[in-house]
Amino acid sequence: MEKSCSLVVHFDKGTPALANEIKEALEGNDVGAKIEALKKAIMLLLNGETIPQLFITIIRYVLPSEDHTVQKLLLLYLEIIDKTDSRGKVLPEMILICQNLRNNLQHPNEYIRGVTLRFLCRLNESEIIEPLIPSILSNLEHRHPFVRRNAVLAVMSVYRLPQGEQLLDSAPEIVDKFLSTEQDPSSKRNAFLMLFSCAQDRAISYLFSNIDRIIDWGEQLQMVVLELIRKVCRSNKGEKGKYIKIIIALLNAPSTAVIYECASTLVSLSSAPTAIRAAASTYSQLLLSQSDNNVKLIVLDRLNELKTSNREIMVEMVMDVLRALSTPNLDIRKKTLDIALELITPRNIDEVVMMLKKEVVKTQSGEHEKNGEYRQMLVQAIHTCAIKFPEVASTVVHLLMDFLGDSNVASAMDVVVFVREIIETNPKLRISIITRLLDTFYQIRAARVCSCALWIIGEYCLSLSEVESGIATIKQCLGDLPFYTAAEEDGQEASKVIQQVNSTTVSSRRPAILADGTYATQSAALETAMSPPTLVQGSLSSIGNLRSLILSGDFFLGAVVACTLTKLVLRLEEVQTSKAEVNKATTQALLIIVSMLQLGQSSVLPHPIDNDSYDRIVLCIRLLCNTGDEIRKIWLQSCRQSFVKMLADKQRRETEEIKAKAQISNAQPDDLIDFYHLKSRKGMSQLELEDEVQDDLKRATGEFTKDADDANKLSRILQLTGFSDPVYAEAYVTVHHYDIVLDVTVINRTKETLQNLCLELATMGDLKLVERPQNYTLAPESSKQIKANIKVSSTETGVIFGNIVYETSSNVLERTVIVLNDIHIDIMDYISPASCADVAFRTMWAEFEWENKVAVNTVLQDERDFLNHIIKSTNMKCLTPPSALEGDCGFLAANLYAKSVFGEDALVNVSIEKQADGKLSGYIRIRSKTQGIALSLGDKITLKQKGTA
């Protein structure tokens, strides 16, 4: 099981074959039976069985067979049997197969020749291969390309053996000649690969002597050429220019795989604007021409990387990138919008917004089931554009207001939030937005959208006509008063049981998650679409949206209506000269507010009004009955000022994030800087000049020397054995996204040679060892570097444990075992801070089923210090804005968010309170989609929260 093997076959251990049965079948004349018997023998060998008695039987009865399947299976059998003894010498019986292999290499059938040549590529025993070399070389001139292409690979594998250069010293020269005359694309590719691997100078020479014909070469050969260019340019950066010209020529190749590789190679080798522009253009063409969604996503990732390093060039390509929105896949559309939004400039904003508007209009047709989600993405994108460039708001705001009544609540909510921000930041648009909002208000069907729209009406209706229109619109949407009659209330008592069954609203109450992550109780009917309740039949034939929602039990909306009416009446007092009209409007507003209060306290609805809404509505009644200057100032000015402050704070945070991203690299004082203008330009093309300039700039700004922090490197070295152990071992742990590399240094501290030393590792959690351990011989007081690769499949804390086993030269029979310290793989290596909208956070919080609740137990006494300590310990980002955490009230609630490399979301809510004795108490709740991340993060917090910093 511990031998290296080049093939794996499924084996059913339930029905093992017997050696005697296999032997009988092989000795018979039935070809079908021989095939089955050979398959069983191969499976037994692959699963650790040794069947030495079969070898002679196979030589006598199977070797002479002319059947192609038998011959192929025979070669597989010969590939996996032991060909050497315990000392590494070739077994004498192996000489029997040499003659058969020579006969196969001269066989009239090209298939037999080809599979035999392929078999020779996997042989490592030079004693068996040496007599076959003339036959291998003769196959280079065979008429059939299948034989020639395998003959080239066989020559390459022979030349790469430990004694290969002595066995076949003229191999590069032979293959070079073969390459110059060969016409078959696969054979040419294999020949060029051989030169690339074994005689790089010859490969380069051939490349430049045929530079004009590269575009006509086959796809496989062009891919090997690109691999050669990457290898040469890494080792010799000075000759980059002439190779980049070859890559740019290959961008016109007919194969899309070659074009993609060309673009990737260009980006990795050069920073010249011409090269980057060519790569970006290529990616854009692939984005449009390829129908496979996975290919589109990969290309978008490449474009995103280009955007980070070469934004100026990518800005020119923004319209080409946006064409990918024609793909119906939402993931592709989201990635496309994310890239485009970071490339908008004053020069291209109009084109981008025009394109987004067209896409919004397209979503109105109900052809695609996810149009609502796509429209929401577009609304958010337009919102971002309008914030960055306020002058475009006027062109989009009226179009978007048509979607206030959208059946997709999230999309409509985004529209109304956008309108709310634009009306404040663009005073010129206020009148047209208010007029349009009052005209379309009746179409709004969602309670949350209604609440936001009512706030806008209450704050931004300033003139007499606007205030009067606002009051009239609300009255129209509320319908006739009262909301119910006394007769209906009496009838309600009798039919209460029936109504609880038939009611279209949900009679239970469910917890809702507020912005700070805490729970509040709300009726489940809040976000239901307009559905007339059965409890007030007579007056609902043409009911308005507000009336419908209030009758469904949404008294929070009722409180918002009361506040909006109060603001409008207070505003009316300022702009209306007629006292009688003001009094009339006041009494009408009071009548509506009192009617809502009466409805909430009646038995008509299954649920009475909640205390918060009741207090708010009563406050509005008191205010309308007795107004003062101070109160009027709070209601008419302070609310708006708070909103303006919130917008300013948001803008400031976004600006700080942009500044933080723009990290400036500095060069060391003694770094060498080449001056481009003083260089010789003789014989250099424009592209080569550009590349030189960009390299100089990178050198000057220190971009070539971005080394990791040495102290951070040292912290990743873990001691595995004790200083007094005969073998000392320590590991340097490198965590890449999907795998972990352990670089283990093993030191023999004894005066004896250690034989068969083996590092045996095992894992716990979602970790998996990639390769089997090897045995090593360690001289006295010498060291050995051993690498171990471990695959990671999920974000979960894992443990690697194991031991070192060895034999000493003085006592070979006794094996010594040294147990290693455990290596704990930290979850922090997989998660990184990320951002998401409050709405998205609350949605995920409600959906995720795994929750881990950790009680606060810390010596820290300041709420902010504790929060900062948790953020630092968990590598998460605080979504709660700093302004919301300011002040000293003895209580703090904050939301934290991070994303793993596997795309998993980690949500954390910190709720803490300062006790009378100065200690902090509360809970940290973690939610995630998978159990592993919730438990691992909880363990990490439990471990770290007691810290003092």
PDB file of all heavy atoms in Angstrom, residues 674-700:
ATOM      1  N   ASP A 674      16.920  52.614 -11.424  1.00  0.00           N
ATOM      2  CA  ASP A 674      17.438  52.880 -12.769  1.00  0.00           C
ATOM      3  C   ASP A 674      16.693  54.070 -13.354  1.00  0.00           C
ATOM      4  O   ASP A 674      15.481  54.173 -13.214  1.00  0.00           O
ATOM      5  CB  ASP A 674      17.215  51.664 -13.678  1.00  0.00           C
ATOM      6  CG  ASP A 674      18.131  50.519 -13.296  1.00  0.00           C
ATOM      7  OD1 ASP A 674      19.187  50.812 -12.722  1.00  0.00           O
ATOM      8  OD2 ASP A 674      17.781  49.356 -13.547  1.00  0.00           O
ATOM      9  N   PHE A 675      17.426  54.949 -14.049  1.00  0.00           N
ATOM     10  CA  PHE A 675      16.789  56.096 -14.681  1.00  0.00           C
ATOM     11  C   PHE A 675      16.498  55.771 -16.147  1.00  0.00           C
ATOM     12  O   PHE A 675      17.420  55.581 -16.949  1.00  0.00           O
ATOM     13  CB  PHE A 675      17.659  57.356 -14.540  1.00  0.00           C
ATOM     14  CG  PHE A 675      17.655  57.871 -13.149  1.00  0.00           C
ATOM     15  CD1 PHE A 675      18.642  57.494 -12.251  1.00  0.00           C
ATOM     16  CD2 PHE A 675      16.631  58.710 -12.708  1.00  0.00           C
ATOM     17  CE1 PHE A 675      18.616  57.957 -10.945  1.00  0.00           C
ATOM     18  CE2 PHE A 675      16.612  59.177 -11.405  1.00  0.00           C
ATOM     19  CZ  PHE A 675      17.600  58.805 -10.529  1.00  0.00           C
ATOM     20  N   TYR A 676      15.243  55.709 -16.469  1.00  0.00           N
ATOM     21  CA  TYR A 676      14.768  55.283 -17.783  1.00  0.00           C
ATOM     22  C   TYR A 676      15.325  56.155 -18.910  1.00  0.00           C
ATOM     23  O   TYR A 676      15.755  55.680 -19.946  1.00  0.00           O
ATOM     24  CB  TYR A 676      13.237  55.283 -17.736  1.00  0.00           C
ATOM     25  CG  TYR A 676      12.527  55.455 -19.051  1.00  0.00           C
ATOM     26  CD1 TYR A 676      12.630  54.488 -20.041  1.00  0.00           C
ATOM     27  CD2 TYR A 676      11.737  56.583 -19.281  1.00  0.00           C
ATOM     28  CE1 TYR A 676      11.961  54.636 -21.228  1.00  0.00           C
ATOM     29  CE2 TYR A 676      11.067  56.735 -20.470  1.00  0.00           C
ATOM     30  CZ  TYR A 676      11.188  55.755 -21.448  1.00  0.00           C
ATOM     31  OH  TYR A 676      10.529  55.902 -22.619  1.00  0.00           O
ATOM     32  N   HIS A 677      15.370  57.466 -18.667  1.00  0.00           N
ATOM     33  CA  HIS A 677      15.802  58.389 -19.723  1.00  0.00           C
ATOM     34  C   HIS A 677      17.285  58.252 -20.063  1.00  0.00           C
ATOM     35  O   HIS A 677      17.715  58.685 -21.126  1.00  0.00           O
ATOM     36  CB  HIS A 677      15.511  59.837 -19.306  1.00  0.00           C
ATOM     37  CG  HIS A 677      14.044  60.136 -19.262  1.00  0.00           C
ATOM     38  ND1 HIS A 677      13.278  60.260 -20.392  1.00  0.00           N
ATOM     39  CD2 HIS A 677      13.195  60.290 -18.217  1.00  0.00           C
ATOM     40  CE1 HIS A 677      12.023  60.507 -20.049  1.00  0.00           C
ATOM     41  NE2 HIS A 677      11.943  60.522 -18.738  1.00  0.00           N
ATOM     42  N   LEU A 678      18.077  57.685 -19.168  1.00  0.00           N
ATOM     43  CA  LEU A 678      19.510  57.546 -19.421  1.00  0.00           C
ATOM     44  C   LEU A 678      19.855  56.207 -20.055  1.00  0.00           C
ATOM     45  O   LEU A 678      21.016  55.921 -20.320  1.00  0.00           O
ATOM     46  CB  LEU A 678      20.283  57.701 -18.100  1.00  0.00           C
ATOM     47  CG  LEU A 678      20.035  59.013 -17.350  1.00  0.00           C
ATOM     48  CD1 LEU A 678      20.845  59.029 -16.065  1.00  0.00           C
ATOM     49  CD2 LEU A 678      20.389  60.219 -18.216  1.00  0.00           C
ATOM     50  N   LYS A 679      18.834  55.359 -20.266  1.00  0.00           N
ATOM     51  CA  LYS A 679      19.080  54.025 -20.818  1.00  0.00           C
ATOM     52  C   LYS A 679      19.261  54.066 -22.330  1.00  0.00           C
ATOM     53  O   LYS A 679      18.715  54.925 -23.004  1.00  0.00           O
ATOM     54  CB  LYS A 679      17.896  53.104 -20.488  1.00  0.00           C
ATOM     55  CG  LYS A 679      17.918  52.607 -19.077  1.00  0.00           C
ATOM     56  CD  LYS A 679      16.858  51.551 -18.910  1.00  0.00           C
ATOM     57  CE  LYS A 679      16.999  50.902 -17.543  1.00  0.00           C
ATOM     58  NZ  LYS A 679      15.980  49.919 -17.315  1.00  0.00           N
ATOM     59  N   SER A 680      19.975  53.070 -22.833  1.00  0.00           N
ATOM     60  CA  SER A 680      20.103  52.924 -24.286  1.00  0.00           C
ATOM     61  C   SER A 680      18.813  52.329 -24.837  1.00  0.00           C
ATOM     62  O   SER A 680      18.299  51.352 -24.310  1.00  0.00           O
ATOM     63  CB  SER A 680      21.268  51.985 -24.590  1.00  0.00           C
ATOM     64  OG  SER A 680      21.240  51.630 -25.947  1.00  0.00           O
ATOM     65  N   ARG A 681      18.256  52.936 -25.882  1.00  0.00           N
ATOM     66  CA  ARG A 681      16.994  52.454 -26.445  1.00  0.00           C
ATOM     67  C   ARG A 681      17.222  51.689 -27.746  1.00  0.00           C
ATOM     68  O   ARG A 681      16.287  51.399 -28.471  1.00  0.00           O
ATOM     69  CB  ARG A 681      16.061  53.637 -26.734  1.00  0.00           C
ATOM     70  CG  ARG A 681      15.808  54.504 -25.520  1.00  0.00           C
ATOM     71  CD  ARG A 681      14.743  55.512 -25.819  1.00  0.00           C
ATOM     72  NE  ARG A 681      14.593  56.458 -24.735  1.00  0.00           N
ATOM     73  CZ  ARG A 681      13.631  57.349 -24.683  1.00  0.00           C
ATOM     74  NH1 ARG A 681      12.762  57.444 -25.664  1.00  0.00           N
ATOM     75  NH2 ARG A 681      13.520  58.186 -23.657  1.00  0.00           N
ATOM     76  N   LYS A 682      18.454  51.396 -28.054  1.00  0.00           N
ATOM     77  CA  LYS A 682      18.784  50.800 -29.346  1.00  0.00           C
ATOM     78  C   LYS A 682      18.064  49.460 -29.518  1.00  0.00           C
ATOM     79  O   LYS A 682      18.183  48.565 -28.657  1.00  0.00           O
ATOM     80  CB  LYS A 682      20.292  50.589 -29.435  1.00  0.00           C
ATOM     81  CG  LYS A 682      20.805  50.433 -30.875  1.00  0.00           C
ATOM     82  CD  LYS A 682      22.307  50.278 -30.880  1.00  0.00           C
ATOM     83  CE  LYS A 682      23.004  51.573 -30.501  1.00  0.00           C
ATOM     84  NZ  LYS A 682      24.462  51.424 -30.501  1.00  0.00           N
ATOM     85  N   GLY A 683      17.319  49.339 -30.589  1.00  0.00           N
ATOM     86  CA  GLY A 683      16.679  48.061 -30.933  1.00  0.00           C
ATOM     87  C   GLY A 683      15.491  47.694 -30.068  1.00  0.00           C
ATOM     88  O   GLY A 683      14.989  46.585 -30.161  1.00  0.00           O
ATOM     89  N   MET A 684      15.016  48.571 -29.212  1.00  0.00           N
ATOM     90  CA  MET A 684      13.877  48.244 -28.324  1.00  0.00           C
ATOM     91  C   MET A 684      12.578  48.738 -28.945  1.00  0.00           C
ATOM     92  O   MET A 684      12.497  49.870 -29.419  1.00  0.00           O
ATOM     93  CB  MET A 684      14.070  48.886 -26.947  1.00  0.00           C
ATOM     94  CG  MET A 684      15.201  48.282 -26.143  1.00  0.00           C
ATOM     95  SD  MET A 684      15.404  49.109 -24.555  1.00  0.00           S
ATOM     96  CE  MET A 684      14.112  48.366 -23.595  1.00  0.00           C
ATOM     97  N   SER A 685      11.555  47.872 -28.891  1.00  0.00           N
ATOM     98  CA  SER A 685      10.239  48.273 -29.397  1.00  0.00           C
ATOM     99  C   SER A 685       9.544  49.144 -28.358  1.00  0.00           C
ATOM    100  O   SER A 685       9.989  49.242 -27.204  1.00  0.00           O
ATOM    101  CB  SER A 685       9.384  47.040 -29.689  1.00  0.00           C
ATOM    102  OG  SER A 685       9.068  46.385 -28.475  1.00  0.00           O
ATOM    103  N   GLN A 686       8.422  49.760 -28.748  1.00  0.00           N
ATOM    104  CA  GLN A 686       7.664  50.610 -27.822  1.00  0.00           C
ATOM    105  C   GLN A 686       7.212  49.805 -26.600  1.00  0.00           C
ATOM    106  O   GLN A 686       7.274  50.286 -25.470  1.00  0.00           O
ATOM    107  CB  GLN A 686       6.441  51.193 -28.563  1.00  0.00           C
ATOM    108  CG  GLN A 686       5.545  52.088 -27.704  1.00  0.00           C
ATOM    109  CD  GLN A 686       6.277  53.318 -27.177  1.00  0.00           C
ATOM    110  OE1 GLN A 686       7.201  53.822 -27.798  1.00  0.00           O
ATOM    111  NE2 GLN A 686       5.883  53.798 -25.997  1.00  0.00           N
ATOM    112  N   LEU A 687       6.783  48.557 -26.837  1.00  0.00           N
ATOM    113  CA  LEU A 687       6.311  47.691 -25.749  1.00  0.00           C
ATOM    114  C   LEU A 687       7.435  47.391 -24.767  1.00  0.00           C
ATOM    115  O   LEU A 687       7.250  47.453 -23.546  1.00  0.00           O
ATOM    116  CB  LEU A 687       5.746  46.389 -26.330  1.00  0.00           C
ATOM    117  CG  LEU A 687       5.216  45.379 -25.311  1.00  0.00           C
ATOM    118  CD1 LEU A 687       4.068  45.993 -24.516  1.00  0.00           C
ATOM    119  CD2 LEU A 687       4.744  44.128 -26.003  1.00  0.00           C
ATOM    120  N   GLU A 688       8.627  47.102 -25.283  1.00  0.00           N
ATOM    121  CA  GLU A 688       9.779  46.817 -24.408  1.00  0.00           C
ATOM    122  C   GLU A 688      10.136  48.043 -23.573  1.00  0.00           C
ATOM    123  O   GLU A 688      10.453  47.940 -22.394  1.00  0.00           O
ATOM    124  CB  GLU A 688      10.967  46.361 -25.249  1.00  0.00           C
ATOM    125  CG  GLU A 688      10.797  44.959 -25.823  1.00  0.00           C
ATOM    126  CD  GLU A 688      11.905  44.588 -26.787  1.00  0.00           C
ATOM    127  OE1 GLU A 688      11.868  45.080 -27.930  1.00  0.00           O
ATOM    128  OE2 GLU A 688      12.803  43.832 -26.390  1.00  0.00           O
ATOM    129  N   LEU A 689      10.076  49.225 -24.198  1.00  0.00           N
ATOM    130  CA  LEU A 689      10.350  50.471 -23.471  1.00  0.00           C
ATOM    131  C   LEU A 689       9.353  50.671 -22.333  1.00  0.00           C
ATOM    132  O   LEU A 689       9.718  50.983 -21.204  1.00  0.00           O
ATOM    133  CB  LEU A 689      10.282  51.674 -24.428  1.00  0.00           C
ATOM    134  CG  LEU A 689      11.505  51.906 -25.319  1.00  0.00           C
ATOM    135  CD1 LEU A 689      11.199  52.978 -26.333  1.00  0.00           C
ATOM    136  CD2 LEU A 689      12.703  52.313 -24.470  1.00  0.00           C
ATOM    137  N   GLU A 690       8.055  50.473 -22.662  1.00  0.00           N
ATOM    138  CA  GLU A 690       6.999  50.628 -21.637  1.00  0.00           C
ATOM    139  C   GLU A 690       7.229  49.667 -20.477  1.00  0.00           C
ATOM    140  O   GLU A 690       7.078  50.028 -19.304  1.00  0.00           O
ATOM    141  CB  GLU A 690       5.624  50.360 -22.255  1.00  0.00           C
ATOM    142  CG  GLU A 690       5.083  51.496 -23.105  1.00  0.00           C
ATOM    143  CD  GLU A 690       3.694  51.181 -23.629  1.00  0.00           C
ATOM    144  OE1 GLU A 690       3.083  50.222 -23.142  1.00  0.00           O
ATOM    145  OE2 GLU A 690       3.229  51.898 -24.520  1.00  0.00           O
ATOM    146  N   ASP A 691       7.604  48.435 -20.809  1.00  0.00           N
ATOM    147  CA  ASP A 691       7.810  47.419 -19.772  1.00  0.00           C
ATOM    148  C   ASP A 691       8.970  47.800 -18.861  1.00  0.00           C
ATOM    149  O   ASP A 691       8.894  47.658 -17.637  1.00  0.00           O
ATOM    150  CB  ASP A 691       8.066  46.065 -20.449  1.00  0.00           C
ATOM    151  CG  ASP A 691       7.954  44.925 -19.469  1.00  0.00           C
ATOM    152  OD1 ASP A 691       6.917  44.839 -18.798  1.00  0.00           O
ATOM    153  OD2 ASP A 691       8.904  44.133 -19.351  1.00  0.00           O
ATOM    154  N   GLU A 692      10.036  48.318 -19.455  1.00  0.00           N
ATOM    155  CA  GLU A 692      11.192  48.767 -18.671  1.00  0.00           C
ATOM    156  C   GLU A 692      10.787  49.895 -17.716  1.00  0.00           C
ATOM    157  O   GLU A 692      11.171  49.912 -16.549  1.00  0.00           O
ATOM    158  CB  GLU A 692      12.298  49.271 -19.615  1.00  0.00           C
ATOM    159  CG  GLU A 692      12.994  48.169 -20.393  1.00  0.00           C
ATOM    160  CD  GLU A 692      14.092  47.495 -19.591  1.00  0.00           C
ATOM    161  OE1 GLU A 692      14.385  47.996 -18.495  1.00  0.00           O
ATOM    162  OE2 GLU A 692      14.622  46.481 -20.042  1.00  0.00           O
ATOM    163  N   VAL A 693      10.005  50.835 -18.235  1.00  0.00           N
ATOM    164  CA  VAL A 693       9.565  51.978 -17.418  1.00  0.00           C
ATOM    165  C   VAL A 693       8.766  51.490 -16.221  1.00  0.00           C
ATOM    166  O   VAL A 693       8.984  51.906 -15.071  1.00  0.00           O
ATOM    167  CB  VAL A 693       8.701  52.961 -18.256  1.00  0.00           C
ATOM    168  CG1 VAL A 693       8.152  54.068 -17.370  1.00  0.00           C
ATOM    169  CG2 VAL A 693       9.520  53.562 -19.368  1.00  0.00           C
ATOM    170  N   GLN A 694       7.806  50.586 -16.482  1.00  0.00           N
ATOM    171  CA  GLN A 694       6.944  50.096 -15.399  1.00  0.00           C
ATOM    172  C   GLN A 694       7.758  49.331 -14.352  1.00  0.00           C
ATOM    173  O   GLN A 694       7.508  49.458 -13.154  1.00  0.00           O
ATOM    174  CB  GLN A 694       5.840  49.192 -15.973  1.00  0.00           C
ATOM    175  CG  GLN A 694       4.799  49.923 -16.798  1.00  0.00           C
ATOM    176  CD  GLN A 694       4.062  50.970 -15.986  1.00  0.00           C
ATOM    177  OE1 GLN A 694       3.731  50.756 -14.828  1.00  0.00           O
ATOM    178  NE2 GLN A 694       3.816  52.123 -16.582  1.00  0.00           N
ATOM    179  N   ASP A 695       8.733  48.544 -14.807  1.00  0.00           N
ATOM    180  CA  ASP A 695       9.590  47.825 -13.858  1.00  0.00           C
ATOM    181  C   ASP A 695      10.374  48.794 -12.986  1.00  0.00           C
ATOM    182  O   ASP A 695      10.524  48.598 -11.777  1.00  0.00           O
ATOM    183  CB  ASP A 695      10.559  46.899 -14.600  1.00  0.00           C
ATOM    184  CG  ASP A 695       9.876  45.612 -15.059  1.00  0.00           C
ATOM    185  OD1 ASP A 695       8.683  45.472 -14.757  1.00  0.00           O
ATOM    186  OD2 ASP A 695      10.528  44.783 -15.718  1.00  0.00           O
ATOM    187  N   ASP A 696      10.894  49.875 -13.608  1.00  0.00           N
ATOM    188  CA  ASP A 696      11.636  50.879 -12.849  1.00  0.00           C
ATOM    189  C   ASP A 696      10.745  51.541 -11.805  1.00  0.00           C
ATOM    190  O   ASP A 696      11.153  51.762 -10.660  1.00  0.00           O
ATOM    191  CB  ASP A 696      12.205  51.949 -13.795  1.00  0.00           C
ATOM    192  CG  ASP A 696      13.351  51.393 -14.642  1.00  0.00           C
ATOM    193  OD1 ASP A 696      13.844  50.309 -14.283  1.00  0.00           O
ATOM    194  OD2 ASP A 696      13.730  52.032 -15.628  1.00  0.00           O
ATOM    195  N   LEU A 697       9.512  51.855 -12.215  1.00  0.00           N
ATOM    196  CA  LEU A 697       8.580  52.496 -11.282  1.00  0.00           C
ATOM    197  C   LEU A 697       8.270  51.576 -10.098  1.00  0.00           C
ATOM    198  O   LEU A 697       8.216  52.006  -8.960  1.00  0.00           O
ATOM    199  CB  LEU A 697       7.277  52.863 -12.002  1.00  0.00           C
ATOM    200  CG  LEU A 697       7.330  54.100 -12.897  1.00  0.00           C
ATOM    201  CD1 LEU A 697       6.043  54.239 -13.682  1.00  0.00           C
ATOM    202  CD2 LEU A 697       7.555  55.350 -12.051  1.00  0.00           C
ATOM    203  N   LYS A 698       8.097  50.294 -10.403  1.00  0.00           N
ATOM    204  CA  LYS A 698       7.804  49.338  -9.325  1.00  0.00           C
ATOM    205  C   LYS A 698       8.982  49.240  -8.371  1.00  0.00           C
ATOM    206  O   LYS A 698       8.817  49.172  -7.155  1.00  0.00           O
ATOM    207  CB  LYS A 698       7.507  47.958  -9.915  1.00  0.00           C
ATOM    208  CG  LYS A 698       6.082  47.815 -10.404  1.00  0.00           C
ATOM    209  CD  LYS A 698       5.791  46.365 -10.725  1.00  0.00           C
ATOM    210  CE  LYS A 698       4.326  46.172 -11.039  1.00  0.00           C
ATOM    211  NZ  LYS A 698       3.998  44.776 -11.294  1.00  0.00           N
ATOM    212  N   ARG A 699      10.200  49.239  -8.960  1.00  0.00           N
ATOM    213  CA  ARG A 699      11.378  49.152  -8.123  1.00  0.00           C
ATOM    214  C   ARG A 699      11.499  50.393  -7.236  1.00  0.00           C
ATOM    215  O   ARG A 699      11.855  50.328  -6.072  1.00  0.00           O
ATOM    216  CB  ARG A 699      12.617  49.036  -9.032  1.00  0.00           C
ATOM    217  CG  ARG A 699      13.591  47.969  -8.575  1.00  0.00           C
ATOM    218  CD  ARG A 699      14.701  47.747  -9.580  1.00  0.00           C
ATOM    219  NE  ARG A 699      14.387  46.635 -10.462  1.00  0.00           N
ATOM    220  CZ  ARG A 699      14.285  46.757 -11.777  1.00  0.00           C
ATOM    221  NH1 ARG A 699      14.474  47.917 -12.350  1.00  0.00           N
ATOM    222  NH2 ARG A 699      14.001  45.717 -12.513  1.00  0.00           N
ATOM    223  N   ALA A 700      11.151  51.535  -7.821  1.00  0.00           N
ATOM    224  CA  ALA A 700      11.266  52.804  -7.090  1.00  0.00           C
ATOM    225  C   ALA A 700      10.241  52.905  -5.974  1.00  0.00           C
ATOM    226  O   ALA A 700      10.510  53.486  -4.925  1.00  0.00           O
ATOM    227  CB  ALA A 700      11.091  53.973  -8.059  1.00  0.00           C
TER     228      ALA A 700
END
